[in-house]
């Protein structure tokens, strides 16, 4: 290949990095999802060219009730706006409204090995928890996720630890395709947020906070009322020792300190100083109030958007149109390289 010489004339200004992430519409997210992921999305959206989607095609890999699914898709879409993503500046959309995702996923299926999918830990876990419905979609789920990412030529993908293996596979698929057909896809890197906020269950602080926990006292949902939030934080499990400081065997207190730190931007040392000589009662009240204030604007905006379903649908349709323009460019490139005849 001819070497390209960069001169003042052809030098391109440093391109803004592209970022993409998606969230499944499987129930109302928790404080853990918010502090660990969504809050960072908002910050990232100011810094990068970004696309965020409701991954509803992924949701049907486990059986869904259609009415409930429809409701949850719009709730999570409203939440994306409520956390402050600006649909004028970012691409905010619903995955199933952009056909290129399913199309590219099919093509990439044919460039993915059975063995690669079979060793995915999430597939192994889910085939145990959904033993009556181990469908092929559940199996090739990571390929659809690869399509989501690669269609937008994303440089960075914010994901939690449980999705890192899927991102690895997306990179492998992209590299393989590029190896066969020449550079087609950007190879995405995982993006690990600044605050590795990992929020634990309020009732068993050795477990991750989860919205599927049968005990609702174990998690704060992003739309819990202030009263509920205060009650749940006040009944969080701590220890019998009584001091507010970060330490071994103090999982409950450590977790509350993490939450408080995320909401207030105070360091652990500052928190320890603030509560020196005080008991857990005072500490929990302060944590509860900080969480209430953190989530208040999100809940208020969410309630406002949910009252206007026509507006939400219009924003989603515009987002899907913009997403399609970007995604179709990649899809056409891929189809040409594979040997399909474009209309
Ligand atoms: N699988 C992800 C999850 O369950 C959601 C997801 C779908 C995703 N497509 C994606 C995340 C693309 C990042 C990029 O959390």
């Amino acid at each position: 290949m001819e070497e390209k010489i960069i001169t003042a004339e052809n030098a391109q200004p440093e391109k803004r990095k592209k970022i993409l992430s998606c969230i499944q519409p499987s129930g109302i997210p928790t404080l853990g999802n918010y502090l660990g992921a969504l809050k960072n999305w908002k910050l990232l959206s100011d810094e990068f060219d970004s696309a965020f989607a409701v991954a509803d095609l992924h949701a049907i890999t486990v059986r869904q009730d259609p009415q409930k699914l429809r409701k949850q898709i719009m709730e999570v879409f409203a939440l994306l706006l409520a956390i402050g993503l600006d649909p004028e500046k970012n691409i905010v959309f619903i995955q199933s409204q952009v056909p290129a995702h399913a199309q590219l996923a099919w093509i990439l299926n044919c460039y993915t090995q059975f063995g690669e999918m079979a060793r995915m830990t999430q597939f192994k876990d889910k085939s145990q928890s959904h033993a009556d419905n181990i469908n092929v979609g559940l199996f090739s789920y990571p390929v659809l996720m690869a399509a989501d990412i690669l269609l937008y030529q994303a440089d960075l993908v914010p994901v939690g630890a449980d999705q890192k293996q899927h991102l690895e596979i997306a990179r492998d698929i992209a590299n393989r395709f590029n190896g066969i057909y020449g550079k087609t896809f950007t190879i995405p890197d995982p993006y690990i947020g600044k605050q590795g906020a990992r929020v634990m269950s309020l009732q068993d602080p050795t477990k991750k906070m989860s919205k599927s926990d049968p005990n609702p006292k174990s998690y704060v949902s992003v739309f819990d009322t202030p009263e509920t939030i205060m009650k749940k934080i006040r009944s969080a499990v701590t220890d019998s020792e009584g001091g507010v400081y970060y330490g071994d065997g103090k999982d409950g207190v450590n977790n509350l300190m993490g939450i408080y730190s995320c909401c207030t931007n105070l360091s652990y040392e500052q928190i320890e100083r603030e509560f020196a000589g005080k008991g857990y009662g005072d500490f929990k009240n302060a944590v509860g109030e900080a969480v209430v204030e953190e989530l208040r604007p999100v809940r208020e905006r969410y309630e406002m958007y949910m009252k206007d379903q026509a507006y939400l649908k219009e924003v989603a349709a515009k987002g899907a149109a913009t997403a399609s323009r970007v995604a179709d460019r990649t899809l056409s490139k891929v189809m040409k390289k594979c040997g399909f005849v474009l209309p």
Side-chain angles (χ1 to χ4, degrees), residues 20-24 55 58 141 145 148-149 157-159 163:
L20 170 133
S21 201
C22 306
I23 179 171
Q24 286 203 49
H58 279 98
Y141 174 116
M145 183 162 155
D148 297 338
I149 298 166
V157 182
V159 282
Q163 297 297 318

Side-chain angles (χ1 to χ4, degrees), residues 5 21 42 64 90 99 117 131-132 135 157 188 204 216 251 255 263 278-279 289 304 309 331:
I5 298 165
S21 201
K42 162 65 186 150
Q64 299 286 342
N90 314 288
M117 293 295 97
D132 56 337
N135 62 75
V157 182
D204 176 359
D251 298 323
N255 187 35
C263 295
K278 292 190 185 153
E289 277 159 25
M304 180 187 81
Q309 291 289 313
L331 182 65

Side-chain angles (χ1 to χ4, degrees), residues 2 21-22 55 62 82 98 108 112 226 237 258 280 303:
E2 210 175 296
S21 201
C22 306
V62 298
V98 180
L108 296 183
T112 306
V237 168
Y280 290 159
E303 282 165 3

Side-chain angles (χ1 to χ4, degrees), residues 50-64:
S50 49
F52 296 103
V54 180
D56 54 348
L57 294 173
H58 279 98
I60 64 164
T61 53
V62 298
R63 191 73 70 237
Q64 299 286 342

Side-chain angles (χ1 to χ4, degrees), residues 3-78:
E3 198 186 341
K4 192 167 169 208
I5 298 165
I6 311 276
T7 65
E9 282 71 44
N10 69 15
Q12 294 204 339
E14 183 80 71
K15 268 220 193 116
R16 247 159 78 106
K17 291 224 184 230
K18 295 202 184 88
I19 193 156
L20 170 133
S21 201
C22 306
I23 179 171
Q24 286 203 49
S26 48
I28 303 298
T30 66
L31 177 67
N33 303 125
Y34 180 73
L35 295 178
L38 298 172
K39 191 180 175 188
N40 275 326
W41 289 12
K42 162 65 186 150
L43 298 174
L44 292 168
S45 75
D46 297 329
E47 202 181 323
F48 299 101
D49 271 350
S50 49
F52 296 103
V54 180
D56 54 348
L57 294 173
H58 279 98
I60 64 164
T61 53
V62 298
R63 191 73 70 237
Q64 299 286 342
D65 170 63
Q67 246 163 16
K68 216 170 125 200
L69 179 62
R70 204 171 354 258
K71 182 167 157 271
Q72 289 182 347
I73 291 169
M74 291 319 284
E75 284 172 352
V76 172
F77 187 73

Side-chain angles (χ1 to χ4, degrees), residues 185-222:
F185 296 123
T186 302
I187 308 301
D189 282 312
Y191 181 91
I192 309 297
K194 288 187 196 98
Q195 276 164 328
R198 188 170 150 83
V199 179
M200 310 305 279
S201 157
L202 299 175
Q203 294 300 314
D204 176 359
T206 60
K207 282 193 336 205
K208 201 176 146 190
M209 181 180 281
S210 161
K211 60 193 160 202
S212 51
D213 195 310
N215 181 0
K217 278 168 82 179
S218 72
Y219 58 86
V220 168
S221 141
V222 280

